[in-house]
Amino acid sequence: MKATQYSWLRESELARLVCLVPVYGPDGGNYTEVWFDNGDKVTVRYRVPTVAKNTAAFLGVSRHQSSAAWHRGKRRHGPPIVLPPGITLVALPVRRPLYRDHGGIGYVVLQKIDSWERIEEGEFRTRLHLAGGHRLNCLLKIETLELRLLDAAKVSHRSRELFEKLSKHQSTRIPIPFCLSEIKELTDPGGVCKCANSSRGGNVQ
């Protein structure tokens, strides 16, 4: 992951993420346009699957989640990607690529979808209205789009429900062997720790 290409991939900006859109650059390259809810757009010189993979990795998860606990049954389309905390990426066909291996799938953050409508503009059959005033055309018919969004909503709900159940059985207490005052007592004025000479020990988890 090149830092120059992913300068937007940090906590403050990731919270504004709206979608990842496959685009062709002026040089003919197959890139990704990243949209944010403040209206900004950033072009990343990598394909959508790579950007989605690196975005998921930044949050400590994989984009390949077909075997995750919140997925049920088989799909003919790419499964939604659940990212912590509370971000669900929905895979949608948003362009007809020049070549099949160029890919036409984009990812939209479910929680940033305001509404959608039926349209007939060339091959596009629906349009999504997104946070930040963005509009994204989609190749799916409105009935199929709504089923895709419903599936993503169920996945989002099941994952959140699972995390909530697990959190109830987890202790939020992190055991520390020494309190701050004891640590200071074990350190001489010169800043040299005397812990090695102490008979008391413990494990930090």
Side-chain angles (χ1 to χ4, degrees):
M1 185 189 304
K2 294 184 178 180
T4 54
Q5 290 292 324
Y6 289 89
S7 59
W8 56 272
L9 195 52
R10 52 184 183 270
E11 293 87 344
S12 59
E13 295 301 317
L14 192 54
R16 295 183 174 278
L17 180 65
V18 173
C19 60
L20 307 174
V21 184
V23 296
Y24 289 112
D27 59 356
N30 193 14
Y31 303 139
T32 301
E33 204 168 67
V34 186
W35 297 4
F36 300 95
D37 63 11
N38 60 358
D40 288 348
K41 295 181 180 180
V42 174
T43 300
V44 180
R45 297 170 71 88
Y46 293 100
R47 298 184 180 190
V48 166
T50 301
V51 178
K53 179 190 72 174
N54 289 336
T55 302
F58 178 79
L59 294 170
V61 299
S62 170
R63 78 177 182 91
H64 300 290
Q65 299 183 0
S66 57
S67 60
W70 44 82
H71 286 299
R72 309 278 172 81
K74 296 182 178 180
R75 297 176 176 82
R76 297 179 60 186
H77 56 83
I81 301 174
V82 175
L83 303 177
I87 299 174
T88 306
L89 298 180
V90 190
L92 298 174
V94 295
R95 77 170 179 181
R96 193 75 70 186
L98 297 177
Y99 303 96
R100 187 173 182 178
D101 64 346
H102 282 190
I105 299 298
Y107 285 97
V108 180
V109 176
L110 177 67
Q111 293 78 8
K112 297 295 178 73
I113 300 175
D114 293 332
S115 62
W116 55 89
E117 61 179 328
R118 190 193 310 269
I119 64 169
E120 288 191 12
E121 294 185 7
E123 297 182 279
F124 295 109
R125 293 294 174 264
T126 46
R127 175 181 293 136
L128 293 95
H129 297 265
L130 310 172
H134 297 294
R135 295 182 179 184
L136 180 65
N137 289 349
C138 179
L139 295 168
L140 296 178
K141 294 181 179 180
I142 196 163
E143 296 82 6
T144 307
L145 172 64
E146 289 175 344
L147 287 174
R148 192 74 59 89
L149 297 180
L150 177 61
D151 177 46
K154 289 180 178 179
V155 165
S156 179
H157 175 75
R158 285 195 292 265
S159 64
R160 186 171 61 252
E161 192 174 55
L162 174 62
F163 292 143
E164 288 175 353
K165 287 180 179 179
L166 291 174
S167 66
K168 291 180 181 178
H169 299 282
Q170 299 295 323
S171 172
T172 57
R173 178 178 175 272
I174 301 177
I176 303 296
F178 305 110
C179 70
L180 182 59
S181 61
E182 290 174 314
I183 292 174
K184 289 181 178 179
E185 289 176 1
L186 291 171
T187 305
D188 66 17
V192 179
C193 183
K194 300 178 182 178
C195 298
N197 299 322
S198 174
S199 60
R200 180 179 177 180
N203 295 319
V204 179
Q205 299 181 5

